Amino acid sequence: MSSSLLDSSSDAHGVLASYGWDDDWDHAFAPYAAEGLLAGRVVRVDRGMCDVVTADGTVRADTAFVTPHDPLRVICTGDWAVLESPGGDPRYVRTYLPRRTAFVRSTSSKRSEGQILAANVDTAIIAVSLAVELDLGRVERFLALAWESGATPVVALTKCDLVPDATGLGYLVSDVEAVAPGAQVLTVSSFTGEGMDVLSAVVAGGTSVLLGVSGAGKSTLANALVGEDSMLVEAVRDVDGKGRHTTTTRNLLPLPGGGVLMDTPGLRGVGMFDATTGVNQVFSEIESLAADCRFHDCAHRAEPGCAVLAAVEEGTLPERRLESFRKLVRENRYIVAKTDARARAEIRREWRLRGAEGRAAMEAKRGRQGR
């Protein structure tokens, strides 16, 4: 056993290990252990305070030292916190260990800042309700941010019991699989239990986060995975299939099969934030096609020899897929351009190009009308 805080007892080791503590975290914490500080995992953050599971039990700690102006650096559920030793009232979180992964979206502010939603996550479960019409563009958006975070995404198509027709359900699964290359797609029902054994096996042993919009069934799914009604569940509106924000904070919950699960509030907006790698992963087929374009900087709009546009013309690449790719790339580049002058210049060049294309199209239309 390591020489830091885990030396105290095997019980202490078991408590933290059940929340994801391992030798690498122990090594990262060693300098703080030498100062007599205490390690623990943040299981909830609210109103300037946080709940931290430690070898000594759950501690309520003040976050005043870890709430900087940068929203990407504030302490978050899933972080491994460094706490003051017992004796202080209140206890303070002094810092947190460097994150392995971080799920980040852009905020709704005009400053386009990033907001961290979950830290140190191994698996990102994207809950998509089958009770309403599929929004593939939203699935792609969640997937891009999940890949960018460093976690492995899994798409859970919830409420599959509401699609009794096996053929129809198969088509829905195929549609999602087509936009989720490299990600596992599961059909689950918290009501009937269908697919829950598979999902439980996926999340066992690591840290997972549930993501999705309100009404996707995240809290019900969390209760099914945890094995108890730990999360409040409210009815979904019949008129539009939307739910209320029954989960208002991010909570880290231990799973009976090992590992921990984080439930999150329903997300109305999921903005890109420096997610170039994630977008390329989601649209890997477009990246592959782009390698055969005549120009290496092809924008896939009107350039001669564009392999991507050729695939759309041939019907092998859905036009919706290309439009979604363009939208996410444009949005992501806009965010990056906030701090990158080169990216800003590139965006201006593209805007000029699109403007020239638009003017050329209008001139051509006027010419046809004048004949």
Side-chain angles (χ1 to χ4, degrees), residues 106-113 334-335 338:
S106 68
T107 65
S108 58
S109 70
K110 295 181 179 180
R111 292 177 293 178
S112 300
E113 296 174 329
Y334 175 78
I335 296 297
K338 290 289 185 178

Side-chain angles (χ1 to χ4, degrees), residues 2 41 74 103 124 135 145 152 164 188 209 215 236 270 306 310 337:
S2 140
R41 192 146 199 204
V74 300
F103 191 95
D135 186 338
L145 292 176
T152 300
V188 297
V209 62
V236 174
V270 193
C306 176

Side-chain angles (χ1 to χ4, degrees), residues 55-118:
D56 296 338
T58 301
V59 173
R60 186 73 169 163
D62 195 300
T63 63
F65 292 104
V66 283
T67 53
H69 295 298
D70 183 355
L72 291 179
R73 295 174 56 211
V74 300
I75 197 162
C76 178
T77 303
D79 274 323
W80 284 99
V82 178
L83 292 167
E84 291 179 336
S85 300
D89 185 20
R91 298 275 286 278
Y92 285 93
V93 178
R94 287 296 174 179
T95 185
Y96 55 83
L97 300 182
R99 295 162 176 156
R100 293 178 182 174
T101 64
F103 191 95
V104 179
R105 67 166 178 176
S106 68
T107 65
S108 58
S109 70
K110 295 181 179 180
R111 292 177 293 178
S112 300
E113 296 174 329
Q115 178 190 21
I116 182 166
L117 299 180

Side-chain angles (χ1 to χ4, degrees), residues 54-256:
T54 74
D56 296 338
T58 301
V59 173
R60 186 73 169 163
D62 195 300
T63 63
F65 292 104
V66 283
T67 53
H69 295 298
D70 183 355
L72 291 179
R73 295 174 56 211
V74 300
I75 197 162
C76 178
T77 303
D79 274 323
W80 284 99
V82 178
L83 292 167
E84 291 179 336
S85 300
D89 185 20
R91 298 275 286 278
Y92 285 93
V93 178
R94 287 296 174 179
T95 185
Y96 55 83
L97 300 182
R99 295 162 176 156
R100 293 178 182 174
T101 64
F103 191 95
V104 179
R105 67 166 178 176
S106 68
T107 65
S108 58
S109 70
K110 295 181 179 180
R111 292 177 293 178
S112 300
E113 296 174 329
Q115 178 190 21
I116 182 166
L117 299 180
N120 301 314
V121 170
D122 302 303
T123 304
I125 305 168
I126 302 165
V128 180
S129 173
L130 293 179
V132 295
E133 184 177 355
L134 278 177
D135 186 338
L136 296 177
R138 180 179 290 152
V139 174
E140 290 163 340
R141 182 177 290 269
F142 271 106
L143 284 167
L145 292 176
W147 282 119
E148 190 69 31
S149 76
T152 300
V154 173
V155 181
L157 300 178
T158 66
K159 308 180 184 181
C160 67
D161 56 289
L162 299 180
V163 188
D165 177 48
T167 301
L169 181 60
Y171 283 129
L172 292 172
V173 172
S174 296
D175 287 345
V176 175
E177 288 177 336
V179 304
Q184 189 173 8
V185 179
L186 306 174
T187 54
V188 297
S189 170
S190 302
F191 180 70
T192 66
E194 181 179 345
M196 292 304 301
D197 55 340
V198 179
L199 185 58
S200 295
V202 169
V203 302
T207 298
S208 304
V209 62
L210 272 169
L211 302 162
V213 299
S214 298
K218 298 188 305 303
S219 294
T220 306
L221 202 60
N223 287 335
L225 290 169
V226 173
E228 60 184 53
D229 292 339
S230 56
M231 305 304 296
L232 177 65
V233 178
E234 291 187 3
V236 174
R237 298 193 303 242
D238 291 333
V239 64
D240 55 10
K242 294 182 179 179
R244 301 182 181 91
H245 289 286
T246 55
T247 302
T248 56
T249 59
R250 300 171 188 93
N251 305 276
L252 203 59
L253 310 168
L255 295 169

Side-chain angles (χ1 to χ4, degrees), residues 21-44:
W21 189 267
D22 57 28
D23 289 341
D24 289 335
W25 289 122
D26 198 51
H27 178 73
F29 182 71
Y32 301 107
E35 298 177 24
L37 298 174
L38 186 67
R41 192 146 199 204
V42 179
V43 297
R44 179 186 174 97

